[in-house]
Each structure stands twice: as C-alpha cells, then as structure tokens.
Amino acid sequence: MSAFLTYLLNGLAVGCAIALIASGLVVIHRVTGVVNFAQGTFAVVAGLCVSSLLGLGLPHGVSELAAVAVAALAGLLAGVAAVGRRGTTPLSSLIVTLGVGVLAYAVEIVLWGDQPRSAPGLAGSLSLAGARIQTQHLLVIAVTAATFALLALFFGRTYLGKALTACASNPYAARVVGIDVRRMGLLAFALGGLLGGLAGVLVTPLRPISFDTDVTLIVNGFAAAVFGALTRPVVTLVGALLLGVAETMAAGYGYGSHQLEVALGLMIVVMIVQASRRSTLSQEVT
C-alpha cells in the first residue's frame, strides 16, 4: 500500500507538470485555433537556461524567473512566425510550429550541446501516510495549483483575459469591437511559452533535459489537451493528472520505457471516444 501511495503522489506531481504544458496548448488553440507543436520546446529552453544560470552562480528564484522569461520570449517569437502574418490559416501555422521545433533543435545543440542537463531543486522528501514524496514534487503540485487559479482569475476577471476569450469565441465580433485579434494571438503564444517555461524549470531538477526531450513533453501535453478537447483547461488538468498517475503506475509496476506508449494509447482512446460522440450528435441533429 505504501508503494501504491508513493506512485500515486509522484504521479500527481508528474501530471501537474504535464498540465502546465497542456494548458499552454489550450490557451494558444482557444485564441488562434492553432495546435502549437513547439510547446515542448519552451519547456526545454527554460530547463536548459535555468541549468546554465544556476551553473554560473545565480541564485534560485532569479534563475528560474529569468528562464521562464526566456521561454515566454521564445513563445512570442514562435507566435510571430506562426500567426504574425494576417490571413495565415491554422493548418499553415501548425506546420510553422513544427518547423520552429526543428529549428530549436539546432539552436539548442549549438548553445548547450547534445548532452542532458539537470539543475538542483528542493532537497529532501516527506512521508505522508507511509508514502515518500520528494519535496520538489510537492513544489510542482503547489505551483500548478496556484497557476491554474491565477489563469482562472485572469480569464474571468481581467479585461485582457476577456479579450482573449472573445477572440476564441468569435474573432469577427472581437474585431468589430476594436480587439486586435493578431496581437491577442501573439499574446497567447507568449503566455503558452511562459506556461511551458514554468513546467521546464520545475521538471529539470527531477529529470535531465536535453534538446530532444520536447518529444516526450509534447506527446504527454497533447494527450492531456485532447482529453479537454483543446478548449477546457479544467478538464485538461484532470486528464493530465490521470495521465501522470497512469504513467507512474506503469513505470512502478512494469517498465519505465512504457510511459510514452501509455500516453499515446490514452490519447488514441480519448480521440476515438470523442469522435464517436461527435458522430452520434451529428446523427441526432440530422
């Protein structure tokens, strides 16, 4: 039972990190209609940056904030490339994000090399009901909870958040009332970069980060975002937690190499279920 609780708590922490990646996907898709396949790159950039900054002697807090800021800037630049030109279709923008991810590989190898890097986090662990959980995992859970609460306040209570929601609901009506949909799209990409960077600085102390780690991150993030139909942050969070627990259980009771297969399998199942529901609704309407 203690082993099960340990896997469960660690899985929740892993799911929280996945949720931060997935929330960036959801924010960008809701505003622009674009699936940003460079989302995992922002986490990798932040993780590599925080590793370098801490290695240079900068203190914690400053290093993490600077790394997240760099990831937000990377998100903004990706947005300029993907949706910066008016009239760019979502499909074209999706292809651009794939190109951005490939270009990031080259930049990351030039700057940091191809060897995995890590960074020190919170040391120690705690015992809860006989289960052991790392302090860094508790930090991931706490930061994710605070982030989703702030996102809810941002989108529900601020003018800027409501403007982003308006662009997602009806871009034409948003333009009529004076909202610059293009600028909102760029802001969404910057916010996606920030969320991805936040995941990166939290995950780097737990597992080494290299230039190609974004593949695992985007697969997990996209699987959770698909669970929320790429539009519902809360459902996306639930999907990410389920995915994190499933992967941790698979690694704990089976083989760690099967984690990616678990994410892909769950994603396929969710997509099939959602497609069947849409088909049923269409038949009922007709």
Side-chain angles (χ1 to χ4, degrees):
M1 181 58 70
S2 62
F4 173 81
L5 291 176
T6 299
Y7 296 147
L8 177 62
L9 292 174
N10 290 335
L12 291 176
V14 172
C16 285
I18 294 173
L20 291 173
I21 299 288
S23 63
L25 283 167
V26 170
V27 168
I28 292 173
H29 184 268
R30 285 184 61 183
V31 177
T32 65
V34 176
V35 178
N36 177 32
F37 281 110
Q39 185 66 28
T41 300
F42 307 147
V44 171
V45 168
L48 294 174
C49 280
V50 75
S51 176
S52 297
L53 294 175
L54 289 173
L56 293 174
L58 269 69
H60 282 287
V62 175
S63 298
E64 283 81 1
L65 289 175
V68 172
V70 171
L73 177 60
L76 178 60
L77 294 176
V80 171
V83 299
R85 294 181 59 186
R86 298 185 186 276
T88 305
T89 64
L91 179 58
S92 299
S93 297
L94 182 151
I95 295 173
V96 170
T97 64
L98 289 172
V100 169
V102 174
L103 176 62
Y105 277 12
V107 175
E108 289 159 4
I109 291 175
V110 169
L111 295 178
W112 290 285
D114 59 354
Q115 297 302 310
R117 292 181 173 230
S118 187
L122 294 180
S125 60
L126 296 177
S127 179
L128 298 174
R132 302 294 298 182
I133 181 171
Q134 296 182 42
T135 308
Q136 182 70 22
H137 277 157
L138 292 176
L139 178 64
V140 173
I141 294 173
V143 171
T144 302
T147 299
F148 271 81
L150 290 174
L151 285 175
L153 290 174
F154 174 70
F155 283 104
R157 299 295 181 86
T158 66
Y159 173 80
L160 189 57
K162 292 180 179 179
L164 286 168
T165 302
C167 293
S169 301
N170 193 325
Y172 177 77
R175 292 190 185 94
V176 170
V177 298
I179 297 175
D180 192 326
V181 176
R182 175 175 165 273
R183 288 185 180 180
M184 293 297 104
L186 295 177
L187 177 61
F189 266 88
L191 183 56
L194 186 149
L195 292 168
L198 191 58
V201 299
L202 291 172
V203 168
T204 302
L206 297 173
R207 59 181 65 180
I209 295 289
S210 63
F211 71 96
D212 59 350
T213 306
D214 68 308
V215 175
T216 303
L217 295 174
I218 190 59
V219 168
N220 283 285
F222 186 64
V226 166
F227 191 85
L230 288 168
T231 56
R232 294 174 289 179
V234 175
V235 180
T236 297
L237 174 61
V238 173
L241 294 177
L242 292 175
L243 180 59
V245 171
E247 289 189 356
T248 305
M249 292 294 180
Y253 292 108
Y255 300 94
S257 59
H258 291 169
Q259 290 178 309
L260 189 59
E261 286 80 354
V262 170
L264 290 171
L266 289 177
M267 180 174 63
I268 291 172
V269 170
V270 171
M271 292 177 71
I272 291 173
V273 171
Q274 290 180 344
S276 63
R277 287 180 178 178
R278 291 176 183 175
S279 177
T280 302
L281 288 174
S282 299
Q283 293 176 0
E284 291 178 354
V285 170
T286 55

